[in-house]
Amino acid sequence: MSQLGTTAQAATGKMTRARWIQIGLPLLILFTVSMIDKSNINILLANKPFLQDLGIKDGAIKGTLSSIFLITYAIGQFGWGFVVDRIGACKSGLIGIFFWVVAMVLGGMAESVSALFWSRSILGLSEGVLYPIALTLTAKWFPANEQAKAQALWFNGNSLGPVIGLPIIAIVAQNYGWRESYHALGAVSLLCLVMFWLMVRNSPGEHRAVNAAEKEYIEKGASTVKKEIADTGEVKAVSILLISVLLMPAALTMTMLHKVASPRVMGRIGGIFGSVSYALAAVGPIVVGAVSQASGSYTGGFLALMSFIVISLVLCLVLMRKGY
């Protein structure tokens, strides 16, 4: 939006909607592209030239290529959460997306499985910045009554990515080569870096596309019941929340996080939540599989799965008693 247009709208009192264009849309694109980047390995593991070039024959290696991302992604989210709170969402996003581009370039240059492991590890660590910056920007850019809608918008990228990107990756890898699929994704990720640099700012007050009416609307709509979560005992209550809401719909989960944490610490809260979520996602199937094997039937595994749900419900009741 031009400066002239912004000035004209401010003069007429008409509220701009920069929060949806400058924040909601870039986050949607970032989550969409991130899902394509992290999922490309699933397509390439069925690509014969890819397997032959890197000498991948062992099924364990294939599983490790997938799991290494989840491990580093969980670690990355935890670390980035504290970084985002310290240096801001914009700087954190630029650094994270830059190394995300580097990871895709390294993947396309890989001559060995170990190089591919490094690519997947760097990708996991760098993409770990997404949830902390998304939750922080949502807290600062959207009034309380719009935060669930905003979160649902960018979270849809997790569904759009595989639907849009995986067929394209398969076509590119089949017709041009698996390295070219990495190069193409690296180029798209670089465009995401430029988009983020041009469009995203830490707060509405820093963005010239936001007029006074929109800034006032966002500030007035900020929740008045948020609690400042810092180095206090209340972090324990948030920890319970992080565990208890893992099986809830994502938009509901993150809306609850916004209700108990201030924007000042939303990065670390979002990072801890994401880290715990992915750690349990990695451990859960192992536990269910182990119980099924020990019991000699799928019934044991099913009961183990149900136990996770029961624990979540109990913890939700604890939160309800605390007024959340």
Side-chain angles (χ1 to χ4, degrees):
M1 181 180 294
S2 67
Q3 187 67 40
L4 179 60
T6 303
T7 303
Q9 285 185 317
T12 59
K14 183 179 180 181
M15 183 177 70
T16 53
R17 296 179 60 83
R19 61 195 182 280
W20 296 104
I21 302 301
Q22 306 294 339
I23 302 298
L25 180 59
L27 288 178
L28 171 62
I29 294 173
L30 281 175
F31 273 88
T32 300
V33 175
S34 75
M35 279 301 298
I36 301 173
D37 285 354
K38 72 182 67 169
S39 302
N40 77 317
I41 195 69
N42 298 325
I43 295 295
L44 296 182
L45 287 175
N47 183 275
K48 289 185 178 180
F50 171 77
L51 299 176
Q52 292 172 354
D53 289 349
L54 297 180
I56 300 175
K57 299 178 181 179
D58 191 346
I61 294 178
K62 296 180 181 180
T64 304
L65 285 172
S66 298
S67 62
I68 191 67
F69 175 85
L70 292 176
I71 295 170
T72 54
Y73 193 45
I75 295 172
Q77 289 189 71
F78 182 85
W80 277 115
F82 292 88
V83 174
V84 170
D85 287 341
R86 185 173 182 83
I87 69 174
C90 283
K91 289 182 180 179
S92 300
L94 291 173
I95 296 171
I97 300 170
F98 171 78
F99 282 103
W100 169 0
V101 175
V102 170
M104 301 311 293
V105 173
L106 290 177
M109 296 170 59
E111 297 288 347
S112 65
V113 173
S114 61
L116 202 59
F117 282 151
W118 277 108
S119 170
R120 294 290 291 174
S121 298
I122 295 172
L123 183 65
L125 290 171
S126 57
E127 282 197 4
V129 77
L130 281 179
Y131 278 100
I133 65 171
L135 286 165
T136 298
L137 290 171
T138 301
K140 293 183 176 181
W141 273 84
F142 293 89
N145 63 306
E146 291 183 351
Q147 286 173 354
K149 187 190 301 183
Q151 289 157 179
L153 171 65
W154 51 257
F155 191 80
N156 278 332
N158 290 321
S159 300
L160 290 175
V163 172
I164 297 173
L166 294 187
I168 296 176
I169 293 174
I171 293 172
V172 172
Q174 182 68 31
N175 295 315
Y176 301 99
W178 67 268
R179 294 188 188 277
E180 284 68 21
S181 70
Y182 264 105
H183 296 157
L185 291 175
V188 173
S189 300
L190 181 60
L191 290 176
C192 287
L193 177 64
V194 175
M195 172 196 69
F196 192 86
W197 174 62
L198 291 175
M199 298 180 69
V200 178
R201 299 293 181 270
N202 285 317
S203 65
E206 298 177 19
H207 209 300
R208 69 175 186 174
V210 178
N211 68 359
E214 183 176 16
K215 184 174 181 293
E216 182 181 4
Y217 172 75
I218 294 171
E219 291 175 349
K220 284 188 175 181
S223 175
T224 58
V225 297
K226 285 180 181 176
K227 302 176 181 179
E228 292 290 330
I229 307 296
D231 297 327
T232 70
E234 293 192 68
V235 172
K236 296 179 180 178
V238 178
S239 299
I240 295 174
L241 173 71
L242 298 177
I243 298 172
S244 65
V245 299
L246 292 178
L247 298 176
M248 295 182 182
L252 176 59
T253 296
M254 291 178 285
T255 299
M256 293 177 70
L257 293 179
H258 280 296
K259 289 184 179 299
V260 299
S262 73
R264 187 170 60 85
V265 293
M266 185 57 69
R268 76 190 70 173
I269 295 300
I272 294 171
F273 167 73
S275 180
V276 172
S277 297
Y278 277 87
L280 289 182
V283 171
I286 297 175
V287 173
V288 172
V291 173
S292 296
Q293 186 173 2
S295 63
S297 71
Y298 288 109
T299 302
F302 178 76
L303 292 175
L305 181 62
M306 289 298 297
S307 68
F308 285 109
I309 299 176
V310 171
I311 292 172
S312 180
L313 290 173
V314 170
L315 292 174
C316 283
L317 291 175
V318 173
L319 286 172
M320 290 175 64
R321 290 178 61 86
K322 291 179 174 292
Y324 292 109

PDB file of all heavy atoms in Angstrom, residues 288-312:
ATOM      1  N   VAL A 288       2.954 -47.018  21.705  1.00  0.00           N
ATOM      2  CA  VAL A 288       1.824 -47.840  21.252  1.00  0.00           C
ATOM      3  C   VAL A 288       2.319 -49.135  20.628  1.00  0.00           C
ATOM      4  O   VAL A 288       1.782 -50.224  20.884  1.00  0.00           O
ATOM      5  CB  VAL A 288       0.959 -47.048  20.240  1.00  0.00           C
ATOM      6  CG1 VAL A 288      -0.109 -47.960  19.619  1.00  0.00           C
ATOM      7  CG2 VAL A 288       0.301 -45.859  20.934  1.00  0.00           C
ATOM      8  N   GLY A 289       3.378 -49.031  19.810  1.00  0.00           N
ATOM      9  CA  GLY A 289       3.926 -50.231  19.175  1.00  0.00           C
ATOM     10  C   GLY A 289       4.508 -51.202  20.189  1.00  0.00           C
ATOM     11  O   GLY A 289       4.323 -52.425  20.081  1.00  0.00           O
ATOM     12  N   ALA A 290       5.217 -50.660  21.189  1.00  0.00           N
ATOM     13  CA  ALA A 290       5.830 -51.514  22.213  1.00  0.00           C
ATOM     14  C   ALA A 290       4.769 -52.240  23.033  1.00  0.00           C
ATOM     15  O   ALA A 290       4.904 -53.432  23.334  1.00  0.00           O
ATOM     16  CB  ALA A 290       6.720 -50.671  23.118  1.00  0.00           C
ATOM     17  N   VAL A 291       3.700 -51.516  23.390  1.00  0.00           N
ATOM     18  CA  VAL A 291       2.621 -52.139  24.172  1.00  0.00           C
ATOM     19  C   VAL A 291       1.916 -53.211  23.349  1.00  0.00           C
ATOM     20  O   VAL A 291       1.577 -54.289  23.853  1.00  0.00           O
ATOM     21  CB  VAL A 291       1.620 -51.066  24.650  1.00  0.00           C
ATOM     22  CG1 VAL A 291       0.411 -51.726  25.312  1.00  0.00           C
ATOM     23  CG2 VAL A 291       2.288 -50.101  25.619  1.00  0.00           C
ATOM     24  N   SER A 292       1.702 -52.926  22.050  1.00  0.00           N
ATOM     25  CA  SER A 292       1.048 -53.906  21.177  1.00  0.00           C
ATOM     26  C   SER A 292       1.882 -55.175  21.069  1.00  0.00           C
ATOM     27  O   SER A 292       1.361 -56.290  21.122  1.00  0.00           O
ATOM     28  CB  SER A 292       0.834 -53.304  19.781  1.00  0.00           C
ATOM     29  OG  SER A 292      -0.044 -52.210  19.835  1.00  0.00           O
ATOM     30  N   GLN A 293       3.201 -55.006  20.942  1.00  0.00           N
ATOM     31  CA  GLN A 293       4.088 -56.160  20.826  1.00  0.00           C
ATOM     32  C   GLN A 293       4.146 -56.953  22.130  1.00  0.00           C
ATOM     33  O   GLN A 293       4.130 -58.185  22.126  1.00  0.00           O
ATOM     34  CB  GLN A 293       5.487 -55.701  20.431  1.00  0.00           C
ATOM     35  CG  GLN A 293       6.456 -56.850  20.154  1.00  0.00           C
ATOM     36  CD  GLN A 293       7.780 -56.369  19.615  1.00  0.00           C
ATOM     37  OE1 GLN A 293       7.998 -55.173  19.484  1.00  0.00           O
ATOM     38  NE2 GLN A 293       8.679 -57.293  19.297  1.00  0.00           N
ATOM     39  N   ALA A 294       4.200 -56.222  23.255  1.00  0.00           N
ATOM     40  CA  ALA A 294       4.279 -56.898  24.548  1.00  0.00           C
ATOM     41  C   ALA A 294       2.996 -57.660  24.871  1.00  0.00           C
ATOM     42  O   ALA A 294       3.032 -58.748  25.460  1.00  0.00           O
ATOM     43  CB  ALA A 294       4.573 -55.878  25.650  1.00  0.00           C
ATOM     44  N   SER A 295       1.859 -57.087  24.493  1.00  0.00           N
ATOM     45  CA  SER A 295       0.565 -57.722  24.792  1.00  0.00           C
ATOM     46  C   SER A 295       0.191 -58.764  23.751  1.00  0.00           C
ATOM     47  O   SER A 295      -0.705 -59.585  23.972  1.00  0.00           O
ATOM     48  CB  SER A 295      -0.536 -56.661  24.884  1.00  0.00           C
ATOM     49  OG  SER A 295      -0.701 -56.005  23.633  1.00  0.00           O
ATOM     50  N   GLY A 296       0.850 -58.734  22.608  1.00  0.00           N
ATOM     51  CA  GLY A 296       0.557 -59.722  21.577  1.00  0.00           C
ATOM     52  C   GLY A 296      -0.676 -59.427  20.766  1.00  0.00           C
ATOM     53  O   GLY A 296      -1.146 -60.290  20.006  1.00  0.00           O
ATOM     54  N   SER A 297      -1.233 -58.216  20.891  1.00  0.00           N
ATOM     55  CA  SER A 297      -2.418 -57.857  20.108  1.00  0.00           C
ATOM     56  C   SER A 297      -2.503 -56.347  19.960  1.00  0.00           C
ATOM     57  O   SER A 297      -1.850 -55.597  20.697  1.00  0.00           O
ATOM     58  CB  SER A 297      -3.693 -58.377  20.780  1.00  0.00           C
ATOM     59  OG  SER A 297      -3.964 -57.644  21.960  1.00  0.00           O
ATOM     60  N   TYR A 298      -3.329 -55.923  19.003  1.00  0.00           N
ATOM     61  CA  TYR A 298      -3.527 -54.496  18.799  1.00  0.00           C
ATOM     62  C   TYR A 298      -4.380 -53.880  19.898  1.00  0.00           C
ATOM     63  O   TYR A 298      -4.438 -52.660  20.023  1.00  0.00           O
ATOM     64  CB  TYR A 298      -4.188 -54.244  17.431  1.00  0.00           C
ATOM     65  CG  TYR A 298      -3.258 -54.485  16.276  1.00  0.00           C
ATOM     66  CD1 TYR A 298      -3.439 -55.583  15.434  1.00  0.00           C
ATOM     67  CD2 TYR A 298      -2.188 -53.631  16.030  1.00  0.00           C
ATOM     68  CE1 TYR A 298      -2.580 -55.809  14.369  1.00  0.00           C
ATOM     69  CE2 TYR A 298      -1.321 -53.851  14.963  1.00  0.00           C
ATOM     70  CZ  TYR A 298      -1.526 -54.937  14.143  1.00  0.00           C
ATOM     71  OH  TYR A 298      -0.666 -55.166  13.091  1.00  0.00           O
ATOM     72  N   THR A 299      -5.047 -54.719  20.671  1.00  0.00           N
ATOM     73  CA  THR A 299      -5.882 -54.209  21.757  1.00  0.00           C
ATOM     74  C   THR A 299      -5.047 -53.444  22.775  1.00  0.00           C
ATOM     75  O   THR A 299      -5.436 -52.370  23.253  1.00  0.00           O
ATOM     76  CB  THR A 299      -6.615 -55.368  22.467  1.00  0.00           C
ATOM     77  OG1 THR A 299      -7.410 -56.072  21.516  1.00  0.00           O
ATOM     78  CG2 THR A 299      -7.502 -54.823  23.580  1.00  0.00           C
ATOM     79  N   GLY A 300      -3.874 -53.984  23.086  1.00  0.00           N
ATOM     80  CA  GLY A 300      -2.999 -53.302  24.028  1.00  0.00           C
ATOM     81  C   GLY A 300      -2.567 -51.944  23.507  1.00  0.00           C
ATOM     82  O   GLY A 300      -2.540 -50.962  24.255  1.00  0.00           O
ATOM     83  N   GLY A 301      -2.224 -51.883  22.223  1.00  0.00           N
ATOM     84  CA  GLY A 301      -1.834 -50.612  21.630  1.00  0.00           C
ATOM     85  C   GLY A 301      -2.980 -49.612  21.623  1.00  0.00           C
ATOM     86  O   GLY A 301      -2.774 -48.415  21.878  1.00  0.00           O
ATOM     87  N   PHE A 302      -4.192 -50.116  21.364  1.00  0.00           N
ATOM     88  CA  PHE A 302      -5.370 -49.247  21.379  1.00  0.00           C
ATOM     89  C   PHE A 302      -5.610 -48.678  22.774  1.00  0.00           C
ATOM     90  O   PHE A 302      -5.913 -47.491  22.938  1.00  0.00           O
ATOM     91  CB  PHE A 302      -6.592 -50.026  20.906  1.00  0.00           C
ATOM     92  CG  PHE A 302      -7.869 -49.237  20.940  1.00  0.00           C
ATOM     93  CD1 PHE A 302      -8.137 -48.284  19.973  1.00  0.00           C
ATOM     94  CD2 PHE A 302      -8.804 -49.442  21.952  1.00  0.00           C
ATOM     95  CE1 PHE A 302      -9.308 -47.546  20.001  1.00  0.00           C
ATOM     96  CE2 PHE A 302      -9.975 -48.718  21.988  1.00  0.00           C
ATOM     97  CZ  PHE A 302     -10.235 -47.762  21.005  1.00  0.00           C
ATOM     98  N   LEU A 303      -5.448 -49.525  23.800  1.00  0.00           N
ATOM     99  CA  LEU A 303      -5.629 -49.064  25.174  1.00  0.00           C
ATOM    100  C   LEU A 303      -4.564 -48.034  25.548  1.00  0.00           C
ATOM    101  O   LEU A 303      -4.847 -47.068  26.276  1.00  0.00           O
ATOM    102  CB  LEU A 303      -5.577 -50.253  26.135  1.00  0.00           C
ATOM    103  CG  LEU A 303      -6.752 -51.238  26.037  1.00  0.00           C
ATOM    104  CD1 LEU A 303      -6.514 -52.439  26.956  1.00  0.00           C
ATOM    105  CD2 LEU A 303      -8.063 -50.542  26.384  1.00  0.00           C
ATOM    106  N   ALA A 304      -3.343 -48.233  25.047  1.00  0.00           N
ATOM    107  CA  ALA A 304      -2.283 -47.263  25.311  1.00  0.00           C
ATOM    108  C   ALA A 304      -2.628 -45.922  24.682  1.00  0.00           C
ATOM    109  O   ALA A 304      -2.422 -44.859  25.285  1.00  0.00           O
ATOM    110  CB  ALA A 304      -0.949 -47.769  24.760  1.00  0.00           C
ATOM    111  N   LEU A 305      -3.176 -45.974  23.475  1.00  0.00           N
ATOM    112  CA  LEU A 305      -3.593 -44.744  22.806  1.00  0.00           C
ATOM    113  C   LEU A 305      -4.705 -44.047  23.570  1.00  0.00           C
ATOM    114  O   LEU A 305      -4.699 -42.822  23.737  1.00  0.00           O
ATOM    115  CB  LEU A 305      -4.057 -45.062  21.380  1.00  0.00           C
ATOM    116  CG  LEU A 305      -4.516 -43.887  20.519  1.00  0.00           C
ATOM    117  CD1 LEU A 305      -3.377 -42.906  20.309  1.00  0.00           C
ATOM    118  CD2 LEU A 305      -5.036 -44.371  19.176  1.00  0.00           C
ATOM    119  N   MET A 306      -5.665 -44.837  24.071  1.00  0.00           N
ATOM    120  CA  MET A 306      -6.761 -44.266  24.841  1.00  0.00           C
ATOM    121  C   MET A 306      -6.254 -43.633  26.135  1.00  0.00           C
ATOM    122  O   MET A 306      -6.819 -42.648  26.613  1.00  0.00           O
ATOM    123  CB  MET A 306      -7.794 -45.353  25.165  1.00  0.00           C
ATOM    124  CG  MET A 306      -8.602 -45.824  23.963  1.00  0.00           C
ATOM    125  SD  MET A 306      -9.589 -44.475  23.242  1.00  0.00           S
ATOM    126  CE  MET A 306     -10.686 -44.105  24.604  1.00  0.00           C
ATOM    127  N   SER A 307      -5.165 -44.173  26.680  1.00  0.00           N
ATOM    128  CA  SER A 307      -4.638 -43.622  27.927  1.00  0.00           C
ATOM    129  C   SER A 307      -4.142 -42.197  27.717  1.00  0.00           C
ATOM    130  O   SER A 307      -4.274 -41.354  28.613  1.00  0.00           O
ATOM    131  CB  SER A 307      -3.513 -44.509  28.465  1.00  0.00           C
ATOM    132  OG  SER A 307      -2.377 -44.452  27.621  1.00  0.00           O
ATOM    133  N   PHE A 308      -3.570 -41.914  26.538  1.00  0.00           N
ATOM    134  CA  PHE A 308      -3.136 -40.554  26.244  1.00  0.00           C
ATOM    135  C   PHE A 308      -4.328 -39.597  26.256  1.00  0.00           C
ATOM    136  O   PHE A 308      -4.253 -38.478  26.760  1.00  0.00           O
ATOM    137  CB  PHE A 308      -2.451 -40.488  24.877  1.00  0.00           C
ATOM    138  CG  PHE A 308      -1.064 -41.051  24.859  1.00  0.00           C
ATOM    139  CD1 PHE A 308      -0.793 -42.245  24.207  1.00  0.00           C
ATOM    140  CD2 PHE A 308      -0.012 -40.389  25.484  1.00  0.00           C
ATOM    141  CE1 PHE A 308       0.484 -42.766  24.186  1.00  0.00           C
ATOM    142  CE2 PHE A 308       1.279 -40.896  25.460  1.00  0.00           C
ATOM    143  CZ  PHE A 308       1.524 -42.103  24.816  1.00  0.00           C
ATOM    144  N   ILE A 309      -5.442 -40.058  25.698  1.00  0.00           N
ATOM    145  CA  ILE A 309      -6.648 -39.225  25.651  1.00  0.00           C
ATOM    146  C   ILE A 309      -7.194 -38.989  27.047  1.00  0.00           C
ATOM    147  O   ILE A 309      -7.597 -37.877  27.397  1.00  0.00           O
ATOM    148  CB  ILE A 309      -7.712 -39.896  24.757  1.00  0.00           C
ATOM    149  CG1 ILE A 309      -7.184 -40.044  23.330  1.00  0.00           C
ATOM    150  CG2 ILE A 309      -9.008 -39.082  24.768  1.00  0.00           C
ATOM    151  CD1 ILE A 309      -8.116 -40.777  22.392  1.00  0.00           C
ATOM    152  N   VAL A 310      -7.205 -40.030  27.860  1.00  0.00           N
ATOM    153  CA  VAL A 310      -7.719 -39.903  29.231  1.00  0.00           C
ATOM    154  C   VAL A 310      -6.859 -38.926  30.031  1.00  0.00           C
ATOM    155  O   VAL A 310      -7.376 -38.068  30.763  1.00  0.00           O
ATOM    156  CB  VAL A 310      -7.741 -41.278  29.927  1.00  0.00           C
ATOM    157  CG1 VAL A 310      -8.063 -41.120  31.405  1.00  0.00           C
ATOM    158  CG2 VAL A 310      -8.763 -42.194  29.255  1.00  0.00           C
ATOM    159  N   ILE A 311      -5.530 -39.031  29.884  1.00  0.00           N
ATOM    160  CA  ILE A 311      -4.632 -38.109  30.585  1.00  0.00           C
ATOM    161  C   ILE A 311      -4.899 -36.675  30.158  1.00  0.00           C
ATOM    162  O   ILE A 311      -4.951 -35.755  30.989  1.00  0.00           O
ATOM    163  CB  ILE A 311      -3.159 -38.469  30.308  1.00  0.00           C
ATOM    164  CG1 ILE A 311      -2.826 -39.817  30.971  1.00  0.00           C
ATOM    165  CG2 ILE A 311      -2.219 -37.383  30.826  1.00  0.00           C
ATOM    166  CD1 ILE A 311      -1.460 -40.349  30.593  1.00  0.00           C
ATOM    167  N   SER A 312      -5.113 -36.487  28.867  1.00  0.00           N
ATOM    168  CA  SER A 312      -5.398 -35.146  28.359  1.00  0.00           C
ATOM    169  C   SER A 312      -6.691 -34.599  28.948  1.00  0.00           C
ATOM    170  O   SER A 312      -6.767 -33.435  29.354  1.00  0.00           O
ATOM    171  CB  SER A 312      -5.489 -35.178  26.830  1.00  0.00           C
ATOM    172  OG  SER A 312      -5.759 -33.903  26.307  1.00  0.00           O
TER     173      SER A 312
END
